Amino acid sequence: MTSICESTDEAVAGVADGSTVLVGGFGMAGMPTHLIDALIRQGATGLTVVSNNAGNGDTGLAALLAEGRVRKVICSFPRQHDSWVFDGLYRSGKIELEVVPQGTLAERLRAAGAGIGAFYCPTGAGTLLAEGKETREIDGRTHVLEFPIKGDVALIGAHRSDRMGNLVYRKTARNFGPVMATAATTVAVQVSEIVEIGTLDPEAVVTPGIYIDRVVAA
Amino acid sequence: MSAQASLGKAEMAALVARDIPAGAYVNLGIGLPTLVADHLEPGSGVVLHTENGMLNMGPQAHGDDVDPDLMNAGKVAVTELPGAAYFHHADSFAMMRGGHLDVCVLGAFQVSAAGDLANWHTGAADAIPAVGGAMDLAVGAKKVYVMTTMFAKDGSPKVVPECAYPLTAARCVDRIYTDVATLEVTGDGLVVRDLFGITYADLSARLAVKMSDGSASS
């Protein structure tokens, strides 16, 4: 059952220390900045964050990192021109990093949400990122065994939600949102607008409300 | 002997664009490969894919056209062309790994004579590794073209017998476009197809790789 929250604080209530938090967004597009700000106020620490990037500039995910709340980042592309917060923490040994190829990151999240125990994937075979992983030849090609990434919490951004939590996104801000929405125990979404049931075209719904626990307009 | 000078970036991009078939689905990597878009023939029907979830991406956005929800993989604001489609990250990379992209054009630190690609990590102790979608593209696209200068700033060739940098993917590169030569990767080693401002003998002397001369100017 999806609940409509009055505030972003309500939407992130109860996140436990040590949680794995999936954070949507590709750079700042789709980044649930208001939910992250609420998570900073909420105070959970020792977090593992799963996101494509490791923060941009000083807001959003970068602000959470700067507060020292994150123990480990699992992402595909931490190093960017404006990732100075992460870079500093990493170079001073204050944060752990697991780099995952972007498609494998998406598919590991998808697997978690789809009840898949593990999958063989050709990406990364024979590279540093496959070291120590089980491999198997399939159709003459080396595949790497990859395991799901399940979140305790997912924080995502979407364009509109109805009161059942059915979501539509906008342009490339969709990115990891629909996959992360399936892959966590508790899923909180910030949207630009909450609309009445029956307003969204059912054919256009991208994420059905079954996946969504908390929605807040922010 | 070639009478031409070595190629500038725009000329390299034009050369790659000329070899992209009409109607192809294409992903252009960040950096030099992005320039290829400027040289695709209008009406060629080439559809650009960006891994953050879009097909039929248009040119860079300026002024009032900038939309924070519409970015390319390099997080540059772009536009959408009529017939564009948006999809989430797991779909975007399934599209790649599933062999639905005809061509990807990637930058490189090094390419081996056998078509191994190194383009994500220098391996330096203080470098922050960041792979993004490079491994997925290298493994997934039907044809992988590399676009790079032939020689690094210190004069060392980027086409090498074996990559010294950590691999992005093994045996994945089909063609190498550089400022002084284009090369095909074949089962019998590299075949030089075009030369620009260098003779086959000079190139052969500077690259310590097995190759043959397939250029018209020899």
Side-chain angles (χ1 to χ4, degrees), chain A residues 26-30 52-53 56 76-80 86-87 90-91 97 99-104 106-107 110 121-129 141 170-176 178-179, chain B residues 30 50-54 67-75 80 86-91 93-94 97 109 120-121 126-133 135-136 138-140 166-170:
Chain A
F26 185 88
M28 294 307 282
N52 186 63
N53 302 108
N56 301 80
S76 87
F77 208 80
R79 187 190 65 228
Q80 298 174 92
F86 174 82
D87 297 0
Y90 181 79
R91 291 193 199 284
L97 171 66
V99 174
V100 180
Q102 203 169 120
T104 301
E107 196 64 14
R110 201 194 72 80
C121 178
T123 311
T127 76
L128 284 180
L129 299 188
R141 199 171 198 199
R170 210 174 153 267
K171 302 183 187 285
T172 58
R174 180 181 305 199
N175 60 68
F176 280 91
V179 194
Chain B
I30 296 168
T50 181
E51 55 262 46
N52 53 318
M54 181 185 192
D67 180 335
D69 285 344
L70 182 45
M71 298 286 146
N72 67 13
K75 300 180 180 80
E80 65 185 26
Y86 296 107
F87 34 86
H88 63 64
H89 248 83
D91 277 351
F93 282 79
R97 280 189 315 267
F109 297 152
W120 72 284
H121 189 13
D126 65 338
I128 298 175
V131 68
M135 288 187 180
D136 311 86
V139 161
L167 288 192
T168 303

Side-chain angles (χ1 to χ4, degrees), chain B residues 53-67:
Chain B
M54 181 185 192
L55 280 165
N56 224 9
M57 175 177 68
Q60 189 173 342
H62 298 284
D64 290 346
D65 288 336
V66 171
D67 180 335

